[in-house]
Amino acid sequence: FKMQKGIDYIGITVSYMCHDGQGNFLLNKRSTNCRDEHGAWDFGGGSIDFGDTIEGTLLKELQEEYCIEPVSYEFLGYLDLFREMNGVKTHWISLEFLVEVDREKVQNGEPHKFEELGWFRLGNLPTPAHSTQENLLRTFKDKLAKFY
C-alpha cells in the first residue's frame, strides 16, 4: 500500500503564475498523463518532495515545466485546496508565487504532460480552467489587480 499525496495525507505544492511583464500569463493544457484534471488549463506547479525547500521546488519546477529561470518572483500567499476527484476527496496546501519570465526562453519541458502552452490575459483565460483557478484569482485579486 503506497500512501498518496493529497489523499492519504495533506499534499504540499508550489504553484506559480508566470507572466511576461506585459500582462500576459503562461498556462499549460494538462494531458491524460497528468495526475488529474485532464484537458484543463493550469498555470503550473509541482509538489514538494521530502528534503526539498520551497524555493528549490519553485526553481526546479520552472526549469522542468517551462525550461526557464525566473527574472523575478514574489510569494503571493497560500491556498487550502479541497477537491473531490473521481469520488475521492483531496486536500492540498498550495504555496502561490507570481513569477516574471522571459517569454522568448519559454519551452514546453514536459510535452508528455502538457498538450500545449499558451499566453493569455487574466481577463481572457482559456477554458476549461483548472478547478482551483477561480479560488486563486479571487484570493489574490488585490495583488493581481494591476494585470487586469
Side-chain angles (χ1 to χ4, degrees):
F1 171 70
K2 183 175 188 280
M3 292 184 56
Q4 294 178 280
K5 293 179 188 178
I7 297 173
D8 298 308
Y9 59 93
I10 297 170
I12 302 174
T13 185
V14 169
S15 299
Y16 39 81
M17 300 176 70
C18 293
H19 68 93
D20 63 2
Q22 304 297 313
N24 302 296
F25 283 80
L26 177 62
L27 282 86
N28 65 69
K29 188 173 184 184
R30 297 167 66 90
S31 80
T32 55
N33 294 323
C34 287
R35 177 180 15 243
D36 53 31
E37 304 213 32
H38 309 141
W41 286 92
D42 190 18
F43 287 104
S47 63
I48 300 173
D49 293 327
F50 185 83
D52 287 351
T53 65
I54 295 165
E55 184 178 38
T57 300
L58 172 66
L59 298 174
K60 178 186 78 168
E61 290 293 333
L62 287 166
Q63 187 65 47
E64 286 177 1
E65 292 188 352
Y66 300 139
C67 306
I68 50 168
E69 293 179 10
V71 173
S72 64
Y73 58 90
E74 65 178 281
F75 180 61
L76 290 173
Y78 72 90
L79 294 174
D80 270 303
L81 305 177
F82 298 99
R83 297 182 294 164
E84 189 168 315
M85 306 304 297
N86 303 319
V88 178
K89 291 183 187 231
T90 68
H91 182 189
W92 287 82
I93 294 171
S94 181
L95 305 171
E96 300 286 341
F97 288 84
L98 182 63
V99 180
E100 184 175 342
V101 299
D102 181 343
R103 184 178 178 141
E104 301 304 313
K105 294 182 179 174
V106 170
Q107 298 174 47
N108 185 347
E110 297 190 319
H112 58 290
K113 286 188 177 179
F114 306 146
E115 291 177 18
E116 62 181 295
L117 302 182
W119 290 92
F120 305 92
R121 308 293 281 191
L122 290 185
N124 191 27
L125 293 172
T127 57
H130 191 279
S131 66
T132 62
Q133 190 178 100
E134 185 181 338
N135 185 19
L136 168 70
L137 296 173
R138 183 179 57 250
T139 301
F140 302 114
K141 68 180 182 296
D142 293 344
K143 294 180 179 180
L144 297 170
K146 64 185 174 193
F147 295 106
Y148 281 96

